[in-house]
Amino acid sequence: MSPTRTRRQFTATYKLQILAAADACTKPGELGALLRREGLYSSHLAVWRAARRRGDLQGPAKRRGPARSAPDPTRKQIVELERALAKATARAERAELIIDAQKKFSQLLGLTLPPLDEPTETRS
């Protein structure tokens, strides 16, 4: 048994079948037996009968909530680019930490490193 119950959903054909069976009930107690057997409430019948009068049960069930829109084709590319940027940024930050540690280590040992602005001499 799941910890949270899901809301029951009834198809239009099922609703029409139950309404037909409910309309066929003539003897006392038949309608109550039908509702108990199907696990329904009398309020279901009232709502479904109103929907049948409006014609809502004729076609496919209308979806609730906002209309679905087509997915944006550029969204996937944006996500990939954002992921690549985050990865490159993390690598750059790691590299800066390593360079700072190397500078501090060379200062402790008394080594002097050439400044980054000046070009280094090449041997011929």
Side-chain angles (χ1 to χ4, degrees):
M1 190 173 219
S2 66
T4 58
R5 294 191 56 170
T6 58
R7 186 180 182 114
R8 294 187 297 174
Q9 296 179 349
F10 304 103
T11 63
T13 56
Y14 176 77
K15 293 176 186 180
L16 289 172
Q17 289 172 353
I18 296 298
L19 288 175
D23 292 341
C25 294
T26 57
K27 297 179 184 173
E30 283 184 353
L31 184 60
L34 171 71
L35 292 176
R36 282 190 300 276
R37 183 176 64 238
E38 297 294 329
L40 300 173
Y41 296 100
S42 60
S43 61
H44 284 121
L45 292 180
V47 171
W48 294 350
R49 284 177 178 144
R52 182 175 58 183
R53 278 192 300 270
R54 288 190 311 266
D56 292 346
L57 296 181
Q58 300 307 319
K62 294 181 181 177
R63 297 187 67 91
R64 295 178 62 187
R68 291 185 180 178
S69 61
D72 187 12
T74 60
R75 183 68 188 147
K76 184 177 179 182
Q77 183 182 12
I78 291 171
V79 169
E80 290 174 3
L81 291 174
E82 287 175 346
R83 190 177 300 130
L85 176 64
K87 186 176 179 180
T89 303
R91 287 187 68 179
E93 289 174 356
R94 269 195 312 266
E96 287 179 8
L97 287 173
I98 291 170
I99 292 170
D100 287 340
Q102 288 175 343
K103 285 180 185 179
K104 290 177 183 177
F105 184 69
S106 65
Q107 287 175 353
L108 286 174
L109 293 178
L111 301 173
T112 58
L113 296 174
L116 295 176
D117 298 322
E118 297 176 15
T120 57
E121 294 180 11
T122 59
R123 295 184 186 178
S124 312

